[in-house]
Amino acid sequence: MLVNRKAPHGTIYALEALEVALVAGVFDQDVSVVFTDDGVYQLTRNQDTQVIGTKNFSRSYRALEDYGIRKLYVEQESLQARGLATSDLVVLVQVVDAKRLGELMDQQDVVLSF
Amino acid sequence: MLVNRKAPHGTIYALEALEVALVAGVFDQDVSVVFTDDGVYQLTRNQDTQVIGTKNFSRSYRALEDYGIRKLYVEQESLQARGLATSDLVVLVQVVDAKRLGELMDQQDVVLSF
Amino acid sequence: MRFAILVNAGPYTHQASDSAYRFTRAALEKGHEVLRVFFYHDGVHNGSRLSVPPQDERDLPKLWRELAERHCLDLVVCISAAQRRGLLDASEAQRHGKDAYNLSTAFRISGLGQLIEACIEADRMIVFGD
Amino acid sequence: MRFAILVNAGPYTHQASDSAYRFTRAALEKGHEVLRVFFYHDGVHNGSRLSVPPQDERDLPKLWRELAERHCLDLVVCISAAQRRGLLDASEAQRHGKDAYNLSTAFRISGLGQLIEACIEADRMIVFGD
Amino acid sequence: MAMLHTINKSPFERNALDACLRIATPGGSVLLIEDGVYAAIRGTTVADKVSTSMKRLSFYALGPDLHARGYSEAQLIDGVQVVDYSGFVDLVVNHESVQAWL
Amino acid sequence: MAMLHTINKSPFERNALDACLRIATPGGSVLLIEDGVYAAIRGTTVADKVSTSMKRLSFYALGPDLHARGYSEAQLIDGVQVVDYSGFVDLVVNHESVQAWL
């Protein structure tokens, strides 16, 4: 399981975590990707980084499915705190509350966080 | 004015900010050094970094006076939130509340923050 | 037990590299196996051979190097993270037309597959970072 | 107006270097003077000449270099921060017995006095960092 | 004299915005840049904090950083003004000094 | 299965502790390291949060990081256990998996 808790663009963690997810998909592992806290901002629509000159990788989250990664979880509490709904996101995700997210984490062999 | 808002040891900002303060003192400028938020932790007594292998620079704050830097300010609210008193600190400082600290900042030509 | 370690932050700037080093050393001293230390994000700077810290400070790239020699540790720097940040080994430097390289010989450059493989093979993966 | 800029974070890892670059360029385009850009903490990595970012990403060390050439910018990397982090110019490398250096020629290495001097001489000091 | 405060950290992740709002004196300006722009968005749990502070401080957000994060002018808290890098430079010129709350 | 959570950020500066306490399931352990150890100190504004969570989670603090920051065992919130790096390794061995709240 990969856990994303940081906003995109302000730091590189989101982009480099996405690169890990894409590689993990190739390994045919049972990979889950979690977006919580500011990590939910990674998935917002309409990102346009042209004027800040950085890479716009937000559309690449759609490619996760092609890499066999279908388990995308977003924490409900984090979405709500930021006034976001699933319709604001670039990909289809499962919305889970904090309690359920904790249970999912418990089931993992490995948790990589960025 | 140099503003320290970060804890020592977890990141290098406190140590490298201290290096700036010492150099600024040499330039015979009217230098103030502020400790607020986790920056107040930079001044706590009894720091012993031997077992983590990093540099223990906490005693060097006492050297600031030798470099002509006598204006050390600590924000009262930050001390209180952390359960600290001036007797817990390695140097004599002026304790100011947030309002007064804001006024002091307003009087500066330059504010360097780390 | 078989451990794998991920280091996500640069030496000196964050304590994370120190923590990772001390954890790794403690694990080895207790007889555990550390099958790989993977350096990602700014962690790649741990592999610099040009670092010259002040004499009264620890030399982290050197500490890693010595630990690796003593325990045959596999220290792997992520290639894409390293290229962005200007950390190259001799062959990478040549490939990109650079006349110098700065990766310590105790480290090797490889892809993210090495991280995933370590996750699969290790009993525990421990992450240190910013 | 005379600006001085302080960059406290490494390129790519934090957006701070991008912000500093874009602010500096905007200031110059509006006819202001930028008397120095000082790179401290991980900011020193902006001066790397070994950085090889992916082709679809910006090359920050190169952007700084080009901006410096166009506007005779004074790009100064802090010597103590750079030594810790393995960033050396040719003469520093020689002094420390290293057979390679990695500082771009568009940057120069100097002490913190250059930061204090910039604070004194500039009308405004703007800090970008982590 | 009026000061320009820059905040580049997310208000959900760090305490930079809180520190600035606690310490900054009335009449100053706050420019939200990088991940700091999330504080300028309407309908979040930090929006009230920003709205309330508008009596004392002027708020700006850097447009390029807003757009990079998928937000537009229409989603901002009422009263937050948007500037580009050129406007950022003007703000620096028009204030006596600048403090970055890193 | 019981999980070990590591927190290396100051609870005053970042939201890592809050996130961990919100999400971690009962029966797990929290190891405070680096600047995270400030959360283990008695008498701060975050101490109550930690005390309250002790019903659900076990708390540990890394001794070397405590001492580096000038704190001793005597200043900890009741119930926080101190370990050294060797104890850190044991905690990792004795939990099913580890999650770092960076």
Side-chain angles (χ1 to χ4, degrees):
Chain A
M1 173 181 277
L2 309 182
V3 179
N4 291 287
R5 290 186 52 248
K6 290 175 184 161
H9 311 308
T11 57
I12 202 173
Y13 298 110
L15 168 60
E16 293 191 328
L18 176 62
E19 290 178 3
V20 173
L22 295 173
V23 173
V26 174
F27 272 71
D28 213 21
Q29 292 293 300
D30 179 24
V31 180
S32 311
V33 184
V34 170
F35 301 87
T36 179
D37 290 314
D38 283 346
V40 303
Y41 282 133
Q42 297 178 20
L43 301 178
T44 52
R45 287 181 191 273
N46 304 320
Q47 296 183 32
D48 176 6
T49 60
Q50 211 169 349
V51 195
I52 62 170
T54 65
K55 187 168 173 171
N56 186 357
F57 52 95
S58 61
R59 274 180 291 262
S60 306
Y61 292 102
R62 290 190 197 142
L64 285 172
E65 199 179 351
D66 304 331
Y67 285 77
I69 299 176
R70 288 186 182 81
K71 295 181 180 171
L72 304 185
Y73 301 102
V74 169
E75 192 210 17
Q76 192 169 20
E77 287 83 344
S78 298
L79 272 185
Q80 279 172 352
R82 288 158 186 80
L84 292 168
T86 48
S87 56
D88 296 314
L89 308 182
V90 290
V91 278
L92 279 175
V93 294
Q94 288 186 53
V95 179
V96 293
D97 63 13
K99 183 167 176 294
R100 175 76 188 126
L101 181 56
E103 289 162 5
L104 287 168
M105 285 173 174
D106 279 353
Q107 296 164 15
Q108 307 297 318
D109 289 327
V110 172
V111 179
L112 291 183
S113 36
F114 301 95
Chain B
M1 175 179 275
L2 309 181
V3 178
N4 290 286
R5 289 186 53 248
K6 290 174 184 163
H9 312 308
T11 56
I12 203 172
Y13 299 110
L15 169 59
E16 292 191 329
L18 177 61
E19 290 178 2
V20 173
L22 295 173
V23 172
V26 174
F27 271 71
D28 213 22
Q29 294 291 301
D30 179 24
V31 180
S32 310
V33 184
V34 170
F35 301 87
T36 179
D37 289 315
D38 282 346
V40 302
Y41 281 132
Q42 297 177 21
L43 301 178
T44 54
R45 288 180 190 274
N46 304 319
Q47 296 183 31
D48 176 5
T49 60
Q50 212 169 348
V51 196
I52 62 169
T54 65
K55 187 169 173 171
N56 185 357
F57 52 95
S58 62
R59 276 179 290 263
S60 306
Y61 292 101
R62 292 191 194 140
L64 286 172
E65 198 177 353
D66 304 331
Y67 286 75
I69 299 176
R70 287 186 182 78
K71 295 182 180 170
L72 304 184
Y73 301 102
V74 169
E75 192 210 16
Q76 192 169 19
E77 287 83 344
S78 298
L79 272 185
Q80 279 172 353
R82 289 158 186 80
L84 292 169
T86 49
S87 55
D88 297 315
L89 309 182
V90 290
V91 279
L92 280 175
V93 295
Q94 287 185 54
V95 178
V96 294
D97 64 11
K99 183 167 178 290
R100 176 74 187 127
L101 181 55
E103 290 163 5
L104 287 168
M105 285 173 174
D106 279 354
Q107 296 163 16
Q108 307 297 317
D109 288 329
V110 172
V111 180
L112 290 182
S113 37
F114 301 95
Chain C
M1 196 169 253
R2 289 153 64 89
F3 291 151
I5 313 282
L6 173 60
V7 182
N8 285 342
Y12 309 115
T13 306
H14 294 89
Q15 200 196 332
S17 298
D18 294 283
S19 299
Y21 168 76
R22 281 172 196 281
F23 179 89
T24 303
R25 217 178 60 176
L28 292 167
E29 281 167 3
K30 291 174 79 92
H32 295 293
E33 187 187 341
V34 175
L35 60 86
R36 184 165 297 148
V37 185
F38 193 86
F39 297 88
Y40 198 40
H41 305 302
D42 277 354
V44 299
H45 292 301
N46 279 281
S48 172
R49 68 185 182 97
L50 298 184
S51 176
V52 190
Q55 292 192 344
D56 60 343
E57 287 185 35
R58 80 276 187 209
D59 186 337
L60 266 169
K62 182 164 164 249
L63 288 172
W64 281 117
R65 201 162 60 235
E66 290 169 354
L67 196 66
E69 283 162 9
R70 216 154 50 236
H71 297 276
C72 293
L73 265 187
D74 189 20
L75 306 179
V76 181
V77 156
C78 171
I79 187 163
S80 60
Q83 284 179 347
R84 265 193 197 102
R85 291 167 178 84
L87 206 84
L88 307 175
D89 66 5
S91 72
E92 278 295 301
Q94 195 176 26
R95 195 159 70 86
H96 294 287
K98 304 283 188 181
D99 66 355
Y101 71 96
N102 52 348
L103 187 75
S104 161
T105 48
F107 293 72
R108 64 187 179 92
I109 285 196
S110 190
L112 282 169
Q114 297 280 308
L115 169 63
I116 306 302
E117 193 189 271
C119 289
I120 296 168
E121 291 180 6
D123 299 307
R124 298 284 185 280
M125 162 60 77
I126 306 104
V127 182
F128 295 89
D130 170 29
Chain D
M1 196 168 257
R2 288 153 65 88
F3 291 150
I5 313 281
L6 174 60
V7 182
N8 285 341
Y12 310 115
T13 306
H14 295 89
Q15 201 196 331
S17 298
D18 294 284
S19 299
Y21 168 76
R22 283 175 194 279
F23 179 89
T24 302
R25 217 179 60 176
L28 292 167
E29 280 167 4
K30 292 176 79 93
H32 294 293
E33 188 186 343
V34 175
L35 59 87
R36 182 165 299 147
V37 184
F38 193 87
F39 297 88
Y40 198 40
H41 305 302
D42 277 356
V44 300
H45 291 302
N46 279 283
S48 172
R49 68 186 182 96
L50 298 184
S51 175
V52 191
Q55 291 192 346
D56 60 344
E57 287 183 37
R58 79 276 188 212
D59 185 337
L60 265 168
K62 182 163 164 249
L63 289 172
W64 281 117
R65 200 162 61 235
E66 289 169 354
L67 196 65
E69 282 162 10
R70 214 153 53 236
H71 297 276
C72 292
L73 265 186
D74 188 20
L75 306 178
V76 181
V77 157
C78 171
I79 186 163
S80 59
Q83 284 180 346
R84 265 193 197 100
R85 291 168 177 85
L87 207 85
L88 307 175
D89 65 7
S91 73
E92 278 295 300
Q94 196 175 25
R95 196 158 71 86
H96 293 287
K98 304 283 187 182
D99 67 356
Y101 71 97
N102 52 348
L103 187 76
S104 160
T105 48
F107 293 72
R108 65 187 178 91
I109 284 195
S110 190
L112 282 169
Q114 297 280 309
L115 169 62
I116 307 301
E117 192 189 272
C119 289
I120 296 168
E121 290 180 7
D123 298 307
R124 298 284 186 280
M125 161 62 74
I126 305 103
V127 183
F128 295 90
D130 170 27
Chain E
M1 290 296 198
M3 196 174 212
L4 176 66
H5 304 270
T6 64
I7 296 177
N8 73 337
K9 296 297 186 302
S10 160
F12 300 101
E13 190 201 21
R14 309 248 201 153
N15 65 352
L17 176 69
D18 288 333
C20 175
L21 297 184
R22 187 176 75 238
I23 296 172
T25 56
S29 302
V30 177
L31 171 62
L32 303 165
I33 67 170
E34 302 173 17
D35 288 343
V37 300
Y38 292 119
I41 309 301
R42 216 164 45 210
T44 77
T45 51
V46 303
D48 270 357
K49 213 179 328 194
V50 172
S51 299
T52 310
S53 307
M54 283 196 183
K55 290 168 212 143
R56 303 184 295 116
L57 299 161
S58 305
F59 280 81
Y60 301 85
L62 194 65
D65 280 328
L66 271 177
H67 304 148
R69 288 157 182 80
Y71 284 98
S72 69
E73 282 73 355
Q75 292 162 285
L76 299 187
I77 296 164
D78 283 343
V80 176
Q81 298 165 68
V82 175
V83 296
D84 58 9
Y85 287 103
S86 170
F88 184 176
V89 173
D90 291 339
L91 281 173
V92 170
V93 170
N94 295 327
H95 288 77
E96 282 298 306
S97 62
V98 190
Q99 172 161 11
W101 295 82
L102 301 178
Chain F
M1 288 300 195
M3 195 174 212
L4 176 65
H5 303 270
T6 64
I7 297 177
N8 72 337
K9 296 297 187 302
S10 161
F12 301 101
E13 189 200 22
R14 309 247 201 156
N15 65 352
L17 177 69
D18 288 334
C20 174
L21 297 184
R22 188 176 73 236
I23 296 170
T25 57
S29 302
V30 177
L31 172 61
L32 303 166
I33 67 170
E34 300 172 17
D35 289 343
V37 299
Y38 292 119
I41 309 301
R42 216 164 46 211
T44 78
T45 51
V46 304
D48 270 358
K49 213 180 323 195
V50 173
S51 299
T52 310
S53 307
M54 282 195 185
K55 290 169 212 143
R56 304 185 295 117
L57 300 161
S58 305
F59 280 81
Y60 301 86
L62 194 65
D65 280 329
L66 270 178
H67 304 148
R69 288 158 182 81
Y71 285 98
S72 69
E73 283 73 355
Q75 293 162 283
L76 299 187
I77 296 165
D78 282 345
V80 176
Q81 297 164 69
V82 175
V83 296
D84 58 8
Y85 288 103
S86 170
F88 184 175
V89 173
D90 291 340
L91 282 173
V92 169
V93 171
N94 295 327
H95 287 78
E96 281 297 306
S97 62
V98 190
Q99 172 161 11
W101 295 83
L102 301 180

